[in-house]
Amino acid sequence: MEEKIKKVEGLVAEYKKFDGDLKKLAQSQETYFAQLNENKMVKEELDLLEDDAEIFKSVGPVLVKMELSDAKASVKQRIDRFNTELDKVQESMKDTAAKQDKRRQEIQTYQQELQQQQQQAAQAAVAQG
């Protein structure tokens, strides 16, 4: 029975680790969503501009002139990168949630077995008593 108790404690520790991992992944997902939305808004603004519009990019304390086509390509590239990262984070969240669910089921199984053993031990003690 001690072995099962230690096994349950180990499974609970893993479950808690997965919970922490899920929280970190959710924070990453939130950050990527914010960055993606910001870049989508920039793309929408760039799409409204005329082809001969002057575009400036902030590089440190300096504004550097940029071609509209370069700005659009840069924003598109960032949007693609954020979408890729979001897909990775969501896949990791799905995998981690599945692992956590498996641990939860294992914990429940071991707890049920422990309860049955305790009940059997109590019945045996009553029968002997």
Side-chain angles (χ1 to χ4, degrees):
M1 186 151 41
E2 285 292 323
E3 186 177 307
K4 284 190 180 185
I5 292 173
K6 288 184 181 186
K7 180 71 175 173
V8 169
E9 289 171 351
L11 291 171
V12 168
E14 286 181 32
Y15 181 88
K16 287 179 181 179
K17 180 192 172 297
F18 290 139
D19 195 47
D21 292 347
L22 281 172
K23 287 178 184 173
K24 289 177 188 173
L25 288 168
Q27 289 174 342
S28 294
Q29 181 184 38
E30 193 174 304
T31 300
Y32 286 130
F33 270 132
Q35 291 172 331
L36 178 63
N37 288 332
E38 180 181 322
N39 278 277
K40 283 181 177 179
M41 289 189 326
V42 169
K43 182 186 180 308
E44 289 173 9
E45 291 294 321
L46 290 175
D47 288 343
L48 296 175
L49 297 174
E50 300 289 328
D51 290 338
D52 61 346
E54 290 186 352
I55 305 292
F56 293 90
K57 178 180 181 179
S58 176
V59 179
V62 178
L63 289 176
V64 178
K65 190 171 182 177
M66 231 179 142
E67 292 294 320
L68 180 59
S69 61
D70 292 341
K72 285 182 177 182
S74 177
V75 170
K76 182 187 179 318
Q77 192 175 32
R78 285 196 306 262
I79 288 172
D80 292 343
R81 188 176 73 239
F82 292 133
N83 278 325
T84 300
E85 291 302 317
L86 268 170
D87 289 345
K88 287 179 187 177
V89 167
Q90 289 169 341
E91 188 64 32
S92 292
M93 289 177 79
K94 191 169 126 181
D95 291 345
T96 303
K99 289 176 186 176
Q100 186 182 36
D101 190 51
K102 183 178 178 186
R103 290 300 177 268
R104 182 186 54 75
Q105 291 173 358
E106 290 174 357
I107 290 167
Q108 287 176 339
T109 300
Y110 275 107
Q111 286 177 333
Q112 288 171 353
E113 289 174 7
L114 283 169
Q115 286 175 350
Q116 288 173 352
Q117 286 179 351
Q118 288 172 343
Q119 287 174 351
Q120 289 171 352
Q123 289 172 353
V126 169
Q128 288 178 357

